[in-house]
Amino acid sequence: MRALQQIHRIAVAAGLLIAAVGAAQAASGKTQPVAISFAITADGKEVGCGAPLADLGSGRLAAKLHEARFYVYGFKLVDSKGGRTPVALTQSEWQYGDVALLDFKDARGGNAPCTESNPAKNTTIVGAVPAGSYVGLEFSIGAPVETIVDGKPVPINHSNVETAPPPLDVVGMAWNWQAGRRFVTIEVDPLSPVVKADGSKTRSWMVHIGSTGCKGNPATGEIVACARENRFAVSFDRFDPKTQRVELDFTRLFEKSDLLADKGGAVGCMSGPDDPECPAIFEALGLNLVESAPGAGDAGKQTKPGASSVFKVGAAAKPAKIAGGKQ
Amino acid sequence: MRARLLLALGLAVAASSAAAEQAPAAAWMWDLPKYVPPPRVPADNPMSEEKFQLGRRLFFDKRVSGNGTLACSSCHLQERAFTDGRVVSVGSTGETTPRNAPSIVNAGWHATYTWANPALVTLERQMENPLFGERPTEMGVTDANKAEIVARFRADADYRKRFAAAFPEKADPISFETIIKAISAFQRGVISFDSRYDRYLQGKIKFTEQEQRGHDLYFGEKAECHHCHGSVNFDDQFVHAKTREAETPFHNTGLYDIDGKGAYPQPNRGLYDITADPDDMGKFRAPSLRNIAVTGPYMHDGTVATLADVIELYSQGGRKIDSGPNAGDGRASPLKSGLIVKIDMTPQEKADLLAFLKTLTDETLLASPRFSDPWKTAAAAK
């Protein structure tokens, strides 16, 4: 039944978005396309694909990018009065409903930076908004619990990876032990191995962010809630998609992390509230790893709404292409 | 057992002919004693004999794993009540799992799955972990090899026929969705209610005096085994078709206390690894004790070798480890369940309890052709 609904949803989703855009057109006259570019930077330079990373972490080490992908959702353009207008995402293998997956690795692998002939898999969000004047941008990192497609709530984070539409069907972004998705997968390989608390060595220092403390309802077989959602919003008062891009700053993300050591828990930080590597990573992301005070109930919430120190506005390398996403 | 199956089939045939030969598939019938309610079955994965048989083939088929070397049955052996006899299991690439392979028997009635995970409430969801898990790799299914694995089954004419019959509503019936659904249906159908204990319940046999003493100890207030292993499935997370609200207790049984504050060693800290609530340290789901005599070694990490050792451990009210990295006195753990106390059973009582636990072994399950490796049967028939 659910599978059938899913197929139905996929079938109608594309049509629906067109309908939604059409409705907006009818209401306001016309729409304008939007393309929002993303990039990863390290040590002030754009990286991605197999580009080497320099001066990373507290040890200012050289490292190699192993994985860098994350889900984003809820894109809104902000007008000069602070009003928010949702961006209707073009539906594609990278975008479903208002959710998209960004992936900064190339298809080829290897040790070279991204080039035009060997681009990162997907670094641009494409969609449309009602024609108008906008000055800022807001979006969130993560996979929402659900989103609205066809006027109905559709489960996202806890949907089945086998039946969910792209880009929610990526096995590598499934977080099966929490019956959900990894929101963020960032893995870097320092040139010498990471030494674990027990003396053993491993190659990658990993940042996996996702909702934790999730609980299902055995009587219905559905996931009901997660104790720590670990989603966060990024809000820029000033952002011009034509000349600027969103940058994820690895230098800031790993600033206080020792990439050659893992003192316990998962290697790196996999969102464990008691993982010794998580406080520095969560602080950089702007997320409360644990409650700010006993009983505050704000574990997994953003420390300051809209603020994440790792996301910045940068100058676009070149004008963002509207047809950026693979379709 | 066989007689009941034949009867069930006969009934199904009668029922379907009465229904004017509408569906070619025989309606699924749960073959259960009257004290066992049918399990909850997800609305999007109804049972059918075709699906069960397809799932059985897949369960025993190494082609489900990424490198074609591991089947579900590699860690879930029928003759061991679908456990593997190892301390911990070995994945398709040689990595060991952190935990002891649990049985799949009567798993359709579990409220939550694995040793301690409240997020996994269906077999379908549980299966994503061994299939897709990366730490460690078990079946080794990835984005890179997923299509290739599905293609293995699409290239097999017999499987094509079986998938189409099991999923007649699907235009494209071979996918990981249907692989998972079929294996889940097989697992739901692997039921064990034909032990000596069941025959005793049904009035078919009488226990020996020793078994009866063990039974009385088990359900009595001295041993109190029934507090956590008291359902008809001998666990305490028992959910069935009519359950409205399911309780999901997890327990710290005093196996470890490595820091004097009740800590369990990583990476097996139980419910705490999911919830991060300090109170959940060392809490695990009480497993079903059906077929417990053939599913050793015991506990989440396989660190208790024999059933007699398990009984001794509970008689002591926990486990003291004298040396090594996990040294500590679990018996005195501040986090230990209040239900686990030193009860100092006599040697006679321990022997009686062991005798009773052995009545939970279902020889029919261990040898039933219905749950056996279909590939072996096919090879033997040639």
Side-chain angles (χ1 to χ4, degrees):
Chain A
M1 183 62 187
R2 189 195 289 159
L4 286 173
Q5 283 173 347
Q6 202 95 45
I7 290 163
H8 178 66
R9 267 186 226 130
I10 299 167
V12 296
L16 197 107
L17 247 290
I18 292 164
V21 171
Q25 252 165 346
S28 69
K30 51 181 156 173
T31 64
Q32 62 193 46
V34 188
I36 298 155
S37 291
F38 282 74
I40 305 172
T41 63
D43 196 28
K45 287 191 277 293
E46 180 175 355
V47 292
C49 301
L53 308 169
D55 282 332
L56 213 56
S58 58
R60 303 190 70 83
L61 303 164
K64 193 177 174 246
L65 185 63
H66 188 245
E67 285 283 353
R69 40 186 173 170
F70 51 90
Y71 285 105
V72 284
Y73 70 100
F75 280 83
K76 298 177 188 81
L77 295 189
V78 184
D79 63 32
S80 56
K81 289 176 186 151
R84 264 72 173 155
T85 302
V87 179
L89 300 187
T90 307
Q91 302 296 280
S92 71
E93 65 170 308
W94 293 102
Q95 303 187 155
Y96 173 73
D98 71 340
V99 187
L101 177 63
L102 297 171
D103 189 337
F104 297 86
K105 287 290 287 181
D106 52 322
R108 212 185 285 167
N111 298 308
C114 302
T115 61
E116 251 180 78
S117 62
N118 185 43
K121 287 180 190 161
N122 188 49
T123 61
T124 306
I125 300 300
V126 285
V129 286
S133 176
Y134 303 100
V135 297
L137 173 69
E138 189 174 273
F139 63 95
S140 293
I141 306 295
V145 172
E146 58 183 33
T147 195
I148 303 294
V149 173
D150 196 9
K152 294 189 188 82
V154 175
I156 297 292
N157 187 33
H158 301 296
S159 59
N160 284 330
V161 73
E162 308 91 49
T163 52
L168 297 158
D169 62 341
V170 178
V171 168
M173 292 299 278
W175 225 19
N176 298 308
W177 62 290
Q178 297 279 6
R181 297 297 187 294
R182 277 183 206 156
F183 301 160
V184 177
T185 300
I186 292 171
E187 301 177 3
V188 295
D189 298 352
L191 300 188
S192 48
V194 183
V195 180
K196 301 205 297 195
D198 63 1
S200 63
K201 291 172 183 173
T202 186
R203 193 176 62 162
S204 300
W205 208 97
M206 297 178 267
V207 176
H208 293 178
I209 307 298
S211 294
T212 64
C214 302
K215 206 174 170 190
N217 179 349
T220 61
E222 300 293 332
I223 284 291
V224 288
C226 300
R228 293 165 295 276
E229 65 162 323
N230 292 334
R231 298 179 184 88
F232 58 96
V234 177
S235 185
F236 299 133
D237 292 339
R238 291 284 174 270
F239 184 83
D240 178 3
K242 292 195 178 66
T243 60
Q244 294 177 310
R245 66 182 181 186
V246 181
E247 294 181 348
L248 168 55
D249 181 359
F250 270 23
T251 305
R252 173 71 187 103
L253 177 64
F254 293 110
E255 188 180 356
K256 291 166 188 162
S257 298
D258 179 356
L259 300 183
L260 292 184
D262 184 79
K263 296 194 176 73
V267 179
C269 167
M270 296 190 190
S271 306
D274 68 335
D275 188 315
E277 281 70 44
C278 278
I281 293 293
F282 270 61
E283 184 274 325
L285 294 173
L287 270 174
N288 293 337
L289 179 62
V290 294
E291 288 182 323
S292 57
D298 57 358
K301 301 282 182 204
Q302 192 162 18
T303 310
K304 187 175 165 231
S308 172
S309 73
V310 301
F311 282 96
K312 296 167 182 178
V313 176
K318 55 184 177 185
K321 282 186 202 147
I322 296 302
K326 281 186 203 168
Q327 296 183 36
Chain B
M1 188 68 172
R2 177 169 298 169
R4 275 198 308 219
L5 279 174
L6 287 174
L7 178 65
L9 283 173
L11 284 172
V13 170
S16 68
S17 46
E21 59 201 35
Q22 188 201 24
W28 179 267
M29 294 192 54
W30 292 103
D31 177 26
L32 301 167
K34 59 174 183 285
Y35 49 84
V36 181
R40 184 178 63 76
V41 176
D44 65 353
N45 193 21
M47 297 294 289
S48 73
E49 184 62 19
E50 288 79 2
K51 205 186 280 180
F52 171 90
Q53 291 297 347
L54 169 63
R56 176 179 161 218
R57 296 183 96 73
L58 291 165
F59 185 87
F60 285 94
D61 196 329
K62 291 179 177 172
R63 285 176 282 180
V64 175
S65 64
N67 61 12
T69 64
L70 197 78
C72 306
S73 59
S74 304
C75 302
H76 300 284
L77 285 67
Q78 183 186 10
E79 64 271 25
R80 292 181 180 274
F82 295 93
T83 63
D84 67 359
R86 297 172 186 262
V87 172
V88 292
S89 301
V90 182
S92 60
T93 57
E95 280 185 274
T96 53
T97 61
R99 290 185 184 161
N100 180 263
S103 173
I104 66 159
V105 174
N106 296 347
W109 285 272
H110 291 342
T112 68
Y113 291 88
T114 80
W115 282 93
N117 193 334
L120 303 177
V121 294
T122 63
L123 281 163
E124 286 80 356
R125 245 21 237 254
Q126 180 277 329
M127 208 182 310
E128 293 173 343
N129 288 271
L131 282 176
F132 305 130
E134 295 169 356
R135 272 165 303 277
T137 292
E138 293 184 52
M139 302 297 279
V141 180
T142 66
D143 289 301
N145 64 25
K146 217 169 124 177
E148 180 203 321
I149 294 170
V150 170
R152 291 172 193 164
F153 299 105
R154 287 192 176 148
D156 184 317
D158 184 58
Y159 265 122
R160 281 202 300 274
K161 219 166 57 195
R162 288 175 181 276
F163 272 99
F167 298 98
E169 75 283 8
K170 287 196 184 293
D172 183 13
I174 308 185
S175 66
F176 260 94
E177 180 202 357
T178 53
I179 289 171
I180 287 172
K181 284 182 168 171
I183 295 175
S184 298
F186 169 68
Q187 291 179 305
R188 280 194 185 94
V190 176
I191 57 178
S192 171
F193 295 105
D194 198 26
S195 66
R196 223 176 124 64
Y197 171 74
D198 291 286
R199 292 176 189 190
Y200 158 86
L201 280 187
Q202 293 158 19
K204 291 177 184 164
I205 59 152
K206 278 203 160 73
F207 274 158
T208 66
E209 281 179 26
Q210 182 171 44
E211 287 167 347
Q212 189 64 53
R213 287 196 305 271
H215 168 277
D216 296 345
L217 196 55
Y218 185 99
F219 287 101
E221 289 305 310
K222 178 168 184 184
E224 294 196 298
C225 310
H226 64 97
H227 276 300
C228 302
H229 300 281
S231 80
V232 70
N233 198 28
F234 288 81
D235 60 8
D236 63 353
Q237 288 201 13
F238 185 81
V239 167
H240 57 88
K242 293 192 171 161
T243 299
R244 281 168 293 112
E245 208 170 320
E247 292 193 20
T248 56
F250 295 87
H251 314 276
N252 178 319
T253 58
L255 279 182
Y256 294 99
D257 180 4
I258 60 172
D259 65 352
K261 291 181 249 169
Y264 272 44
Q266 294 198 43
N268 281 319
R269 298 173 299 176
L271 191 60
Y272 174 79
D273 284 326
I274 304 290
T275 64
D277 181 344
D279 198 43
D280 290 338
M281 174 63 74
K283 284 187 181 172
F284 290 86
R285 182 171 63 83
S288 168
L289 298 189
R290 285 185 172 273
N291 305 293
I292 196 70
V294 299
T295 64
Y298 300 96
M299 305 301 168
H300 65 274
D301 55 2
T303 52
V304 181
T306 69
L307 195 49
D309 292 344
V310 175
I311 291 173
E312 180 59 36
L313 188 154
Y314 283 119
S315 181
Q316 298 291 319
R319 178 170 68 178
K320 181 167 185 268
I321 298 174
D322 291 320
S323 60
N326 298 331
D329 191 352
R331 298 172 304 181
S333 166
L335 299 178
K336 191 179 75 171
S337 163
L339 296 167
I340 309 290
V341 292
K342 190 169 161 65
I343 48 172
D344 278 331
M345 285 188 280
T346 65
Q348 182 63 54
E349 286 174 324
K350 290 174 198 168
D352 293 348
L353 192 54
L354 187 60
F356 170 68
L357 291 175
K358 285 182 176 169
T359 72
L360 301 177
T361 301
D362 178 350
E363 300 291 344
T364 307
L365 168 95
L366 305 184
S368 168
R370 187 165 170 76
F371 308 137
S372 69
D373 183 344
W375 305 100
K376 269 189 196 160
T377 319
K382 273 179 193 164

